[in-house]
Amino acid sequence: MQAEVGIIGAGAAGGIMALELASRGISVAVLESGPRHDFSRRGEYVRRYLRHENPWTISPPTLDVYTVGGPTPYHLAGRRARGVGGSTLHWEGYALRLHASDFRLRSIHGVGEDWPISYQDLERYYGDAERMLGVAGVPDEPEASPRSTPYPLPAFAFSYSDGLFARACQTLGIAFHHLSQARNSLAYDGRAQCRACGTCQACPTGAKASVDLTQIPRAEATGNTQVITGATALKLELDRSGEVNAAVYAQADKVERRLEARVFVLAGGAVENARLLLLSGSRQLPGGLANRSGLVGKFFMSHPAIDVVGRASERVYPYRIGFSTAMSRQFAVAGDRVTQGAFLLEFLNSAGPTPERIAMASGRWGPALRQHVKDEFGHWLGIRVYADQLPDRINTVSLNPRVRDYFGSPAPHIHYSVGRYERAALDRAKEIASKILVAVGLTQIRPTGLSFAGHQMGTHRMGTDSKTSVVNENLRCHDVPNLYLVGGGCFVTASASPPTLTIAALAIRAAEHIAARIRPTRQSEPARAPAR
Ligand SMILES: Cc1cc2nc3c(=O)[nH]c(=O)nc-3n(C[C@H](O)[C@H](O)[C@H](O)COP(=O)(O)OP(=O)(O)OC[C@H]3O[C@@H](n4cnc5c(N)ncnc54)[C@H](O)[C@@H]3O)c2cc1C
Ligand code: SF4
């Protein structure tokens, strides 16, 4: 198997990278460990989701093993998906740009690190990513960094409960604005308009952008992309000059095969990218590939999260829209980022127990049960908090040789903890969220337990110094000139905002760089059909 560019992983970063390169006439082969989840069977996935199962589990499950450790273990189950589309099969679709200050945490606040690029360097690519994914939004966030292009789709209307939150925020002087998302508020780009059915982790209409619908079919339609499914990359091989010349991969039969290419891109997600580099070590490179800095797998980050909920005496009509439509990023930029992390407030359109949970907990039957569910359902409101997490060397992805996957490779082990900085942010956020819920007039206000977003970042950070980072500003490994690493692993800091729009913008930028390297004389614009 040969191509000009070999990509490992067909998720957000890999799918975008494949389309960007293939539409410039570059031949691409993508190895995807998971299956192709056929869109015509989406109804089955929705039913599984409605039974509270993870619709995206794959077989054999030993392909997806991992182990956890540390004071607050970070589990991957339900926090990533395997298959063509990767975790965008499962994601909620919230698509936010970072703020300019997120790229300069060290310079402005003296904590974390600065990124080697600025918001301005990424601004044009953010616009491309928004058009590509079809982001619905309106520029009503007072703290947002300047944008040069409009959102491609109008924002979703605020919900009934948003109206309650908006009034409370106004009395408290808290910014309240739309939550931009890669979900079709109108039919867009050949995909349907959202029907607000609310099973977004398995969208039956295709209204939510996922790269199995938005990028991969187009990349394949160029004739320049081949996607090999059920193909897990086991290690990368180096030639004598120190460049990667092949990815060794295997399918269900466990027979090892080779993909040869001029340039390789790892797009397996922050955990699997680090793991594959560590698995690709040799006698000459005992610490793993591209790891002269010793930082591969270090500085793992996510977004610690908490919900604060409260009960209304009147009905507040939750669960009518499955996704959130409003947020506040006032605290994602302002305030003390020296001793406490920034945080984002998401105003939930679905909070409190669902009718079946109320029924199961009631112990009643017949008419009494029906009356109880009628009385109890629809009285809860909630605010979700996502906190910024500082890069901390102790939070690490490493190999666990005691646990092996389907192919006999050591499982990834995630050591994870939440420090004082993040806990201070969550405490402050709980106070603010509680104040808003009081102003709405709710009672029984309480926080839920600590949780974590399905966002994985930081295991092969960007930087200009090869001693303190793994990839440069174009996402090329400092140590291996034809190897690029894309995805959240490149993030230097986490910010309080979801990562995928930034992952997409960085992938588009890196693809431009790779294309200019492979076809130095060609124009760098891809031949793409315009989005409708
Ligand atoms: C439930 C959920 C909700 C989320 N909601 C949001 C949200 O609202 N907003 C947001 O910004 N982000 C959200 N995310 C996160 C978002 O999905 C990820 O940030 C994004 O998909 C990461 O892109 P990626 O390409 O790096 O990895 P992925 O999309 O995870 O893709 C990686 C792919 O690589 C494949 N792979 C891995 N290792 C190998 C190997 N060795 N060989 C071959 N293939 C391999 C995997 O099978 C997978 O398909 C959510 C995630 C989850 C799980
Ligand atoms: S609410 Fe919209 S995006 Fe979510 S599953 Fe339904 S159609 Fe898809």
Side-chain angles (χ1 to χ4, degrees):
M1 181 75 205
Q2 286 187 328
E4 287 176 292
V5 179
I7 299 178
I8 315 301
I16 288 170
M17 184 61 90
L19 176 58
E20 288 297 291
L21 294 171
S23 50
R24 289 173 167 102
I26 293 170
S27 70
V28 176
V30 185
L31 301 179
E32 170 48 56
S33 160
R36 217 179 264 270
H37 295 277
D38 185 354
F39 188 68
S40 66
R41 292 177 48 209
R42 203 48 71 86
E44 285 171 39
Y45 288 72
V46 170
R47 280 191 287 280
R48 258 183 258 158
Y49 170 80
L50 290 173
R51 289 197 299 263
H52 304 288
E53 293 165 18
N54 177 356
W56 305 107
T57 46
I58 54 157
S59 161
T62 48
L63 202 58
D64 215 24
V65 290
Y66 64 90
T67 59
V68 294
T72 47
Y74 184 94
H75 285 269
L76 292 171
R79 294 201 175 99
R80 66 175 184 180
R82 273 185 201 249
V84 174
S87 305
T88 66
L89 292 160
H90 201 169
W91 78 321
E92 284 291 350
Y94 302 140
L96 303 172
R97 297 178 177 207
L98 303 192
H99 293 104
S101 54
D102 290 326
F103 294 83
R104 302 187 58 237
L105 209 54
R106 165 69 57 183
S107 305
I108 300 174
H109 300 284
V111 293
E113 291 296 336
D114 286 355
W115 292 47
I117 55 170
S118 66
Y119 172 83
Q120 214 42 50
D121 292 326
L122 213 51
E123 202 281 327
R124 160 161 85 88
Y125 302 96
Y126 269 133
D128 289 346
E130 284 169 346
R131 274 192 301 282
M132 194 177 258
L133 295 172
V135 177
V138 62
D140 61 349
E141 179 195 336
E143 297 82 16
S145 298
R147 45 186 304 128
S148 60
T149 46
Y151 285 100
L153 283 166
F156 283 87
F158 284 138
S159 66
Y160 175 80
S161 55
D162 287 340
L164 304 176
F165 284 127
R167 281 194 286 283
C169 285
Q170 198 177 13
T171 56
L172 295 169
I174 293 174
F176 182 91
H177 48 89
H178 286 86
L179 169 48
S180 53
Q181 38 204 299
R183 190 178 269 104
N184 286 354
S185 54
L186 300 172
Y188 180 77
D189 205 15
R191 292 179 294 114
Q193 181 178 22
C194 172
R195 292 189 199 155
C197 57
T199 61
C200 302
Q201 292 191 10
C203 173
T205 66
K208 183 191 75 174
S210 58
V211 298
D212 57 317
L213 305 178
T214 45
Q215 270 74 41
I216 297 283
R218 284 185 183 165
E220 290 177 312
T222 62
N224 298 323
T225 298
Q226 189 178 354
V227 180
I228 308 162
T229 57
T232 301
L234 306 177
K235 63 178 179 222
L236 302 176
E237 282 183 357
L238 289 188
D239 63 16
R240 286 213 185 122
S241 71
E243 298 212 325
V244 179
N245 62 0
V248 177
Y249 70 96
Q251 292 174 291
D253 59 11
K254 299 191 182 176
V255 174
E256 288 193 3
R257 298 178 176 85
R258 298 172 90 247
L259 164 65
E260 293 178 1
R262 277 176 64 186
V263 170
F264 281 87
V265 178
L266 295 196
V271 172
E272 296 300 329
N273 276 2
R275 180 191 184 206
L276 192 54
L277 292 172
L278 297 174
L279 288 173
S280 302
S282 60
R283 212 171 328 136
Q284 291 75 31
L285 299 168
L289 188 60
N291 197 19
R292 236 176 281 159
S293 63
L295 295 181
V296 168
K298 305 283 189 240
F299 301 116
F300 176 77
M301 298 175 282
S302 186
H303 290 127
I306 269 178
D307 288 358
V308 185
V309 297
R311 193 177 196 284
S313 52
E314 303 297 316
R315 236 164 244 180
V316 289
Y317 307 106
Y319 295 100
R320 292 195 161 188
I321 307 169
F323 51 92
S324 303
T325 35
M327 66 189 302
S328 178
R329 288 213 291 178
Q330 176 172 332
F331 308 97
V333 281
D336 171 18
R337 291 182 84 173
V338 180
T339 59
Q340 97 185 10
F343 55 89
L344 170 160
L345 302 176
E346 173 189 343
F347 297 98
L348 299 173
N349 280 328
S350 302
T354 53
E356 83 273 15
R357 290 212 193 272
I358 295 170
M360 300 285 278
S362 73
R364 299 174 199 212
W365 298 93
L369 170 64
R370 266 199 294 278
Q371 192 56 46
H372 177 72
V373 173
K374 210 170 154 195
D375 292 343
E376 286 305 308
F377 178 63
H379 289 274
W380 289 84
L381 285 176
I383 300 175
R384 181 158 300 161
V385 172
Y386 289 108
D388 187 5
Q389 175 159 41
L390 280 185
D392 183 342
R393 224 185 142 104
I394 201 165
N395 293 328
T396 302
V397 174
S398 57
L399 298 180
N400 183 349
R402 288 189 302 282
V403 177
R404 305 246 162 193
D405 72 2
Y406 178 74
F407 298 103
S409 304
H413 178 78
I414 303 172
H415 179 100
Y416 187 67
S417 59
V418 173
R420 230 180 305 162
Y421 186 82
E422 294 80 35
R423 289 190 189 276
L426 291 170
D427 287 345
R428 177 85 183 113
K430 275 189 272 183
E431 263 173 44
I432 290 170
S434 302
K435 266 192 198 158
I436 297 171
L437 296 181
V438 168
V440 173
L442 307 189
T443 56
Q444 300 178 47
I445 294 166
R446 55 172 185 260
T448 61
L450 177 65
S451 175
F452 311 105
H455 309 155
Q456 295 109 36
M457 295 162 280
T459 55
H460 45 78
R461 49 154 56 167
M462 299 166 86
T464 46
D465 184 347
S466 62
K467 292 195 196 69
T468 56
S469 58
V470 178
V471 294
N472 70 11
E473 69 281 7
N474 295 316
L475 311 189
R476 180 158 108 167
C477 288
H478 292 301
D479 301 356
V480 187
N482 73 335
L483 178 62
Y484 291 76
L485 312 178
V486 292
C490 303
F491 284 30
V492 181
T493 50
S495 88
S497 300
T500 308
L501 194 72
T502 304
I503 289 175
L506 285 170
I508 298 168
R509 187 171 181 273
E512 197 174 282
H513 170 81
I514 294 172
R517 190 178 152 179
I518 291 182
R519 300 263 194 280
T521 51
R522 281 253 191 111
Q523 67 172 80
S524 64
E525 278 305 300
R528 241 193 256 129
R532 294 183 298 284

